[in-house]
Amino acid sequence: MSPRPNDPNFPNGVPILPLHSLGERIAILGPSNAGKSTLAVALCKKLGIPAVHLDQLHYLPGTDWQPRPETEFAALHDLAIQEERWIIEGSYSRLMPQRLVRSTGVIVITSNSWLRFLRYLKRTLANQPDRAGSLQRAKDRIKWRMVGICEISSGVRLADSRMPHCGCP
C-alpha cells in the first residue's frame, strides 16, 4: 500500500503503524505537559500492559515535588525497565540510553508550547489527585520553573532508530 494524497493512513507520507508493532515495552517521550501520562494510561487500558510514570519514581510521594536522591531514582528506573512488559512515560534523558535499549517501540509526543503551558495551568489549578501520572499525596502549585519548562521543546529524534516509533504532534 502506498500513500495517496490526503490519505489519513499516511500523514505527511508516513504510514501509521499498527499499535501491536510497538511491542510490549513502549517508551513514551516528550516535553512536560505534552500528554505522556494520559497516553500511557490509555495504552495501559487498551493493551493490558502496566504503566510506569517516571515522575512518580523521580519525586518523593507526599512532598512538593521533592526529588529522590539520583542514585535511588536511577535504581528504581533500572528495576522498572527490567520487567518484561511496560509502558514507561517520561523523558529523563540521562537514563534514556538503557531504557531505549530495552524498548520494543517508542512514541514521541511533540506539541505547541502554549498548549503545554495551558495544560500545566489547568492541571495545577484543578489539583486533581487522580490525574494520570500525579504524585501521591502532593498538592500541585504553580511554579515559575515549570512555566519556563513548558517553553522548552523536546529534542528527541528517533529518525535513525531501527525500532518501531511514531511521532504524535
Side-chain angles (χ1 to χ4, degrees), residues 63-168:
T63 68
D64 188 17
W65 297 89
Q66 177 185 344
R68 294 179 192 273
E70 183 62 25
T71 54
E72 185 179 336
F73 170 50
L76 290 170
H77 171 274
D78 291 348
L79 188 63
I81 65 171
Q82 291 310 309
E83 295 294 326
E84 285 304 310
R85 302 171 73 229
W86 41 257
I87 297 169
I88 293 185
E89 63 83 15
S91 293
Y92 295 95
S93 58
R94 62 194 176 276
L95 300 174
M96 203 176 298
Q98 60 264 46
R99 188 174 341 130
L100 292 179
V101 165
R102 293 273 304 144
S103 297
T104 55
V106 177
I107 298 171
V108 179
I109 300 178
T110 60
S111 64
N112 176 287
S113 61
W114 282 107
L115 178 59
R116 292 194 315 273
F117 174 67
L118 291 174
R119 285 178 179 154
Y120 173 66
L121 287 179
K122 179 183 172 189
R123 96 175 192 195
T124 305
L125 296 174
N127 201 33
Q128 300 166 318
D130 60 343
R131 172 183 62 79
S134 67
L135 188 60
Q136 187 180 25
R137 299 183 321 272
K139 180 166 174 38
D140 279 334
R141 296 179 305 125
I142 294 176
K143 296 175 180 60
W144 288 112
R145 179 181 162 277
M146 279 301 297
V147 171
I149 288 174
C150 288
E151 290 297 313
I152 299 170
S153 71
S154 170
V156 176
R157 301 286 181 260
L158 293 172
D160 297 330
S161 175
R162 296 182 196 273
M163 76 176 71
H165 63 278
C166 62
C168 301

